[in-house]
Amino acid sequence: AYRQVQLDTTNQLYRISSALLVADQSTLDSAIKQLDAFRNDLERLRSMAKNEVGLVGQIQQQYDKFVGLVNRVVELTRGGNVDQAWAIQLKEAQPLAESLKVLINRLVDKAEGKTLDARSDVFSFGAVLYEMATGRQAFAGETTAVIFSQILKEEPPLPRALNPELPAKLEEIIAKCLE
C-alpha cells in the first residue's frame, strides 16, 4: 500500500510539473486537478504513517509551498506572463517537487521499516543540483519505470555540456552525487 501511494504521488508531481510548462488553458486546469489528487494521496499517506508526525509535517509544509507556487504559475500564465511563470516553475516549483519526492520516499521507507542511509539523500541532492545547474532533470521520462531504468542504466549529459558557464568543480560534485 505504501509503495502504491509513493508511485501515485510521484506521478502526480511529475504531471503537475509538466503541465505547468504548457501555456494551454486545459493543461493548466489539469494541473489544478492533479493538485487535488496529490492532496488526496497525501491524506492517504498521513493516515498510514501516523507514527511519523515530524516527517509528515515536513511534507505538509513543502506541499503547502508547492500549492502556492503552482497557483502562482497558473495565475501568471493565464495573465499572459508566461516567461515569468516558466522561470518560477523551473527555479522554484520543480526543485520543490523534487524535495517532496525525496520526503515521500523517506516516509515510505520508514513506514516499511527500511533502514535509511545518506546515499539516497546524496543522490537526491545531486539530482536537485543538476536540475538547478542545467535547467533540466538528470533523469526524466513519462513513467516512473522509465525514470528508474534511466537511473540504473544511463548517465545524464554532463552538466557543463548543457551549461558551459558552470564551474568544473560543481560539475564534479554533481557527478559524484549521482553515482
Side-chain angles (χ1 to χ4, degrees):
Y2 287 114
R3 289 292 166 196
Q4 184 60 51
V5 175
Q6 180 184 28
L7 178 62
D8 291 345
T9 56
T10 299
N11 286 334
Q12 297 298 343
L13 285 169
Y14 174 77
R15 287 184 193 122
I16 293 165
S17 294
S18 297
L20 293 179
L21 293 173
V22 180
D24 170 80
Q25 186 64 35
S26 64
T27 307
L28 293 174
D29 290 342
S30 173
I32 299 299
K33 288 178 186 173
Q34 294 294 325
L35 270 180
D36 289 337
F38 186 69
R39 185 189 68 239
N40 293 336
D41 289 334
L42 285 180
E43 289 301 320
R44 286 172 43 206
L45 265 178
R46 178 176 288 134
S47 68
M48 292 166 54
K50 292 179 181 175
N51 294 335
E52 296 296 334
V53 176
L55 195 49
V56 169
Q58 287 178 340
I59 291 169
Q60 185 64 52
Q61 286 178 334
Q62 295 291 314
Y63 170 75
D64 291 343
K65 288 180 188 176
F66 186 69
V67 168
L69 285 172
V70 168
N71 286 323
R72 187 167 163 213
V73 168
V74 168
E75 183 179 302
L76 286 168
T77 303
R78 287 180 176 159
N81 298 313
V82 175
D83 290 340
Q84 187 180 2
W86 283 356
I88 291 169
Q89 163 60 2
L90 293 173
K91 292 179 182 171
E92 297 178 51
Q94 281 186 351
L96 194 53
E98 186 62 35
S99 175
L100 270 166
K101 284 188 260 183
V102 169
L103 289 171
I104 290 168
N105 290 346
R106 187 176 299 151
L107 178 65
V108 169
D109 286 345
K110 279 187 167 189
E112 289 183 334
K114 292 188 177 179
T115 304
L116 298 177
D117 63 25
R119 290 177 294 182
S120 63
D121 289 340
V122 170
F123 182 84
S124 295
F125 177 68
V128 170
L129 271 180
Y130 185 96
E131 190 169 339
M132 291 172 68
T134 65
R136 62 176 267 195
Q137 295 177 338
F139 306 99
E142 292 192 25
T143 66
T144 304
V146 170
I147 294 169
F148 287 154
S149 177
Q150 287 178 359
I151 290 169
L152 294 173
K153 297 177 183 176
E154 299 176 20
E155 295 284 328
L158 291 174
R160 290 184 59 187
L162 300 171
N163 181 358
E165 296 176 14
L166 195 68
K169 188 66 176 169
L170 181 56
E171 180 179 70
E172 184 182 322
I173 292 167
I174 293 169
K176 186 73 175 164
C177 290
L178 293 176
E179 284 182 345

